[in-house]
Amino acid sequence: MTLVISAAANALVSGQFGVNEIASALTIGRHVGSIFSRNQDAKILDIVAELNRLEMQELPDWLTTIGFTRRATIYGDRMRRVTAHNVLDDVEMDTVEGVATFVALILRFIQTPESVSHIIAQLLRGRFEILTCAGGYTEAPLPYSMKGNIVKFIKAVWESDKESDQNSNCLQWLSELTSYVGQSHDPRTHSSYSKAEQERFIGFLLAARRPNRQTPTTFHTLSAGAATVALAARAQGALVQLECMMAAGESTIEAKQLPIASSHAASLIVKLWLVQPPPDIRDDIPGLNNFTQAPNQSMTPPVIVYGGAAEISQHVAKQLSVDAKLKPHQCLRIWEEGVSIGEQAVWCPARSHSRRGCLELAAHSIRKFDEANQNNSMFTTIAIAVGCIKSQFSDHKNRNALQSFAWALDIRRSDIVDFLGFVCHGSPFSQTYRGISSGQLLALAGSIWGGSFDSNMRNLHPDTIGLVCPHGTFLLDIVCSPEDFVNQIIRKGARPLFSFFKGSVPLLPQSSTNGYIVGGSPSASRHRVNLESFFKGSRRWEKPAEHQAGSPIITLETMSTSALYLSAILCAWFHGEVLAELNPATIFENLLKQPEDYDWIQMRHLLGYREVPCGLLVESKFFRLDGPYRYLYVVRTEPRWEWRILIAGIAPPYVDVVDTRYISPETLARINRDIAGLKSTDRSDTVLAASTTPTTWLVLLDKTN
């Protein structure tokens, strides 16, 4: 499918998005910023430029060839993939919006939206030569509320660039840059987060045109961050050439170009010195002679590292200071073997009332691997942990995108290392973690493959179901495709729980600060249609086995509550009316356990049993929370996945929803014997059977775990 964005009409001109999709996209874009809202978000720039009387100067030679038109990928309802053309086609470089868009694009690989907003705010105050105020640099800061508007604009630009050709080219060049920096004598010097050096280069890049300049201009730096910005500028069409100055012998310096020089001669050459620069060059690099980190700078976030297994394995080895005893090919071998072992992990939900579980591995595989690499235990631990996390994510729709990393995980932090040890060994080095939540898996994946700096393992919202990162989106499969998720849950064995997408996701409600997607918890007082009216049974407790009324329709929607500004819910529709609003996180938890996961011998300790007709499914608290500690409910419906989603969603969290079709005959016979003596409130003495129509669902409310 193809989507064309019209610059003239400032609107979508293709009918490939439905009314519901566009309504959700506009709602989310108004709060977060998206490819749909970019034009509107950019208007604030022109307003500020007019108030500050900004004047556009003539572009320098290296910025005259920049073009913004690109292709992008947008995901619609159920993550339907749509290709968009002419994205950013209306943006011109010689405008305020054009310069701000360029700044946002070249910094997306190295800084957060909040950090980029500071640079754009300085731009709008006339700090850089390319845009000047009539009265000079404006000392007065922009209004505080302006920051949120600028961040929205930046996120909208980033969403418009996801999976574009320019983005793909830059990622390839950054992978090569990672390899070159890794070969230097002291990579930590070049990879340290140097915001001042990046801003120095941006000021150089956004300089006004100098007349009568005959030779290319050269910028010298030791910062891989500044080099990253240079490559991003080249990807946008700027006449910028990066040269990595490397040692080719004891006294020889070799310049390796990134990318390989094109037919257009570069007007600006950036030289990244990965060796000691000559004395005449040292004077051009501020602070080189006292290049030391401040005491509180040692734990600042490092530059995001891009590349494949070869580049990341060397990066991790250097961060752990084991690179001296491991050659590059040894790092790669150990890394790939550790990741391969970790990919065999199987998610096992916890039996306690929490959205946690563990990733189980064959103990002998880990023990054998650890014994073979006992001198590099921490390195092997991280490799296995990455494999464990990867085992729960599917990227089959994105051409094996998880083979490429956008590594922002700071393994210098003891809590991160501690948690990674817990991920792959099942027991922490210190008794800090008591299981792994789906939110923690998302946070780790975002820092490994998505370029997200937020790797906080604590204080995550318990209903976290997804994460939107600068370089991809991680999402619970139940949100992507509820039907496929239910079918996968039914199957035994290992199965991914999450999917990874690289394009723009304008229909996913997300936090404006950290990109997390949270499941909504609808208010119990909200009016819902009464399902009982769709059934022919006149008696309140009549069993509906012969009176089916079809299946509900499940859709993903955006909702706002007093607790959450934006959240995601699954709506169950019946005959055109909203039957129920369901929290995807609750459904995920309630469907994880399989018949073989529960000790059905405990059924003899049931304190209650009740059959619930379909007509009463939407009654408030029909699964009685104030009842016995262990209570069994039986619901008979059509054998459709929609009913399983509905039952799991309107039940309270942390119950078991089991389909009797997938319970063994022996276990089913034991259950029938154990509940035979219980008094049923609906006077039913029906024996459970593994029938196909109607399907029997067992909902076990167990508050003793």
Side-chain angles (χ1 to χ4, degrees):
M1 294 187 176
T2 301
L3 173 70
V4 179
I5 296 183
S6 168
N10 193 26
L12 302 178
V13 296
S14 172
Q16 297 190 28
F17 281 100
V19 174
N20 188 55
E21 290 175 306
I22 293 178
S24 296
L26 294 178
T27 300
I28 296 166
R30 185 164 56 247
H31 297 294
V32 181
S34 74
I35 191 172
F36 285 84
S37 66
R38 182 189 55 79
N39 284 288
Q40 189 68 30
D41 295 332
K43 291 182 178 180
I44 192 68
L45 304 176
D46 294 327
I47 295 175
V48 176
E50 184 177 353
L51 292 175
N52 287 348
R53 295 182 296 167
L54 289 177
E55 297 177 358
M56 190 75 196
Q57 305 301 309
E58 189 175 0
L59 295 174
D61 295 337
W62 51 80
L63 297 184
T64 56
T65 55
I66 289 177
F68 292 105
T69 301
R70 64 202 59 218
R71 170 192 59 84
T73 298
I74 305 176
Y75 288 97
D77 184 45
R78 302 287 177 89
M79 304 309 287
R80 177 174 59 94
R81 186 185 179 102
V82 178
T83 301
H85 294 283
N86 298 342
V87 180
L88 299 179
D89 187 50
D90 58 320
V91 182
E92 299 292 340
M93 184 62 194
D94 58 351
T95 63
V96 175
E97 180 186 352
V99 177
T101 300
F102 177 69
V103 171
L105 289 172
I106 65 176
L107 292 178
R108 67 166 301 191
F109 300 95
I110 200 71
Q111 293 192 17
T112 64
E114 290 72 23
S115 299
V116 179
S117 69
H118 172 74
I119 304 293
I120 293 181
Q122 298 299 312
L123 176 74
L124 296 176
R125 295 169 62 190
R127 176 182 173 183
F128 302 105
E129 292 182 8
I130 202 169
L131 276 175
T132 59
C133 295
Y137 178 69
T138 303
E139 296 293 340
L142 297 180
Y144 181 80
S145 58
M146 187 67 66
K147 179 180 178 180
N149 292 308
I150 296 177
V151 168
K152 272 184 56 185
F153 165 76
I154 293 167
K155 289 186 174 181
V157 171
W158 288 8
E159 287 290 301
S160 303
D161 186 54
K162 282 187 173 179
E163 214 173 11
S164 67
D165 294 334
Q166 293 89 333
N167 181 57
S168 299
N169 290 337
C170 191
L171 289 173
Q172 174 62 39
W173 301 337
L174 291 174
S175 177
E176 297 179 47
L177 175 63
T178 298
S179 179
Y180 288 154
V181 173
Q183 298 173 35
S184 65
H185 176 68
D186 186 9
R188 284 176 288 274
T189 297
H190 309 289
S191 299
S192 296
Y193 188 84
S194 177
K195 188 174 181 180
E197 186 67 0
Q198 293 173 37
E199 292 187 5
R200 183 173 78 90
F201 175 65
I202 294 170
F204 198 94
L205 189 65
L206 300 182
R209 179 183 176 86
R210 299 287 191 272
N212 303 321
R213 177 178 286 165
Q214 302 297 327
T215 59
T217 304
T218 303
F219 180 88
H220 299 276
T221 183
L222 269 70
S223 170
T228 298
V229 177
L231 289 176
R234 173 65 179 267
Q236 311 311 319
L239 297 177
V240 178
Q241 182 69 54
L242 175 65
E243 292 184 356
C244 297
M245 312 304 293
M246 307 180 64
E250 292 184 3
S251 59
T252 306
I253 296 178
E254 177 186 6
K256 294 195 175 183
Q257 293 184 334
L258 268 181
I260 301 300
S262 64
S263 57
H264 299 285
S267 300
L268 174 59
I269 298 177
V270 178
K271 292 195 175 185
L272 172 63
W273 289 90
L274 301 176
V275 294
Q276 191 72 257
D280 58 326
I281 301 299
R282 295 170 63 89
D283 295 336
D284 293 340
I285 305 177
L288 179 58
N289 292 325
N290 56 350
F291 194 87
T292 56
Q293 292 183 332
N296 63 344
Q297 194 179 355
S298 60
M299 295 306 292
T300 54
V303 171
I304 299 176
V305 179
Y306 300 90
E311 291 79 16
I312 299 303
S313 61
Q314 292 185 54
H315 169 72
V316 173
K318 289 180 183 297
Q319 277 202 323
L320 296 175
S321 300
V322 298
D323 55 304
K325 54 184 177 180
L326 288 176
K327 295 181 179 180
H329 72 276
Q330 293 175 314
C331 287
L332 180 58
R333 178 187 60 79
I334 296 174
W335 179 270
E336 289 182 334
E337 186 176 349
V339 170
S340 178
I341 291 175
E343 286 181 312
Q344 303 171 24
V346 177
W347 172 268
C348 297
R351 298 187 183 278
S352 60
H353 287 170
S354 65
R355 292 194 175 99
R356 293 181 178 271
C358 65
L359 292 166
E360 290 191 352
L361 280 170
H364 68 276
S365 298
I366 298 180
R367 185 168 55 253
K368 183 178 179 181
F369 184 61
D370 285 342
E371 290 174 353
N373 303 279
Q374 56 185 340
N375 294 328
N376 310 295
S377 60
M378 190 58 64
F379 184 75
T380 60
T381 291
I382 293 175
I384 296 175
V386 170
C388 287
I389 298 166
K390 186 180 179 182
S391 70
Q392 302 306 307
F393 290 84
S394 168
D395 61 350
H396 58 87
K397 295 183 180 179
N398 291 272
R399 302 182 297 277
N400 296 321
L402 292 178
Q403 300 298 329
S404 299
F405 296 82
W407 186 282
L409 196 64
D410 192 353
I411 57 176
R412 298 171 299 176
R413 287 173 43 185
S414 59
D415 61 325
I416 294 296
V417 173
D418 187 42
F419 189 78
L420 290 176
F422 174 60
V423 168
C424 70
H425 290 292
S427 59
F429 300 144
S430 64
Q431 300 298 320
T432 305
Y433 300 100
R434 298 170 182 257
I436 306 168
S437 69
S438 56
Q440 289 170 331
L441 284 173
L442 287 166
L444 285 171
S447 297
I448 294 172
W449 292 282
S452 172
F453 284 114
D454 187 5
S455 56
N456 182 15
M457 297 297 101
R458 308 173 191 273
N459 303 321
L460 291 172
H461 196 286
D463 292 337
T464 298
I465 58 175
L467 174 61
V468 180
C469 302
H471 301 289
T473 298
F474 302 88
L475 202 61
L476 272 175
D477 281 346
I478 194 170
V479 182
C480 309
S481 177
E483 180 178 5
D484 290 344
F485 178 80
V486 170
N487 292 334
Q488 288 178 7
I489 286 294
I490 290 174
R491 303 189 192 104
K492 299 180 180 180
R495 55 191 179 269
L497 301 177
F498 308 84
S499 290
F500 177 54
F501 303 91
K502 295 213 68 171
S504 178
V505 286
L507 271 64
L508 295 180
Q510 59 197 264
S511 167
S512 60
T513 56
N514 54 29
Y516 282 102
I517 304 169
V518 176
S521 298
S523 171
S525 61
R526 184 177 176 85
H527 171 73
R528 301 177 183 87
V529 65
N530 187 357
L531 183 62
E532 188 176 9
S533 62
F534 295 118
F535 290 83
K536 298 178 181 179
S538 58
R539 295 175 56 187
R540 179 175 177 81
W541 294 103
E542 184 174 356
K543 296 195 302 263
E546 300 79 25
H547 306 292
Q548 300 301 320
S551 299
I553 297 174
I554 307 296
T555 63
L556 178 67
E557 306 291 346
T558 300
M559 82 173 306
S560 177
T561 65
S562 58
L564 290 170
Y565 210 54
L566 287 177
S567 57
I569 60 171
L570 290 175
C571 278
W573 299 76
F574 215 88
H575 290 215
E577 299 289 343
V578 176
L579 174 63
E581 297 155 329
L582 314 173
N583 186 342
T586 299
I587 301 172
F588 172 77
E589 167 65 26
N590 289 347
L591 290 183
L592 275 184
K593 288 186 180 179
Q594 297 303 293
E596 63 272 14
D597 292 331
Y598 193 83
D599 184 4
W600 290 100
I601 297 177
Q602 298 295 328
M603 290 291 294
R604 65 185 54 142
H605 301 298
L606 280 173
L607 299 179
Y609 162 74
R610 174 182 176 188
E611 287 214 25
V612 181
C614 290
L616 299 177
L617 281 180
V618 295
E619 276 201 355
S620 177
K621 296 183 180 180
F622 81 95
F623 294 124
R624 294 185 303 180
L625 290 175
D626 56 347
Y629 282 113
R630 190 174 280 120
Y631 206 100
L632 180 69
Y633 296 86
V634 176
V635 184
R636 305 178 195 274
T637 70
E638 291 184 358
R640 299 275 301 181
W641 65 270
E642 293 93 341
W643 282 111
R644 190 168 190 177
I645 289 285
L646 177 62
I647 294 170
I650 59 181
Y654 320 124
V655 304
D656 299 325
V657 180
V658 180
D659 189 340
T660 56
R661 290 176 297 171
Y662 302 99
I663 301 178
S664 67
E666 296 79 8
T667 302
L668 201 59
R670 184 189 305 129
I671 297 174
N672 280 312
R673 288 195 303 269
D674 290 341
I675 66 176
L678 294 174
K679 293 181 179 180
S680 175
T681 55
D682 66 346
R683 296 174 287 106
S684 170
D685 54 359
T686 303
V687 177
L688 299 179
S691 59
T692 302
T693 304
T695 295
T696 303
W697 308 93
L698 300 183
V699 182
L700 181 64
L701 176 60
D702 186 355
K703 296 196 292 184
T704 63
N705 286 340

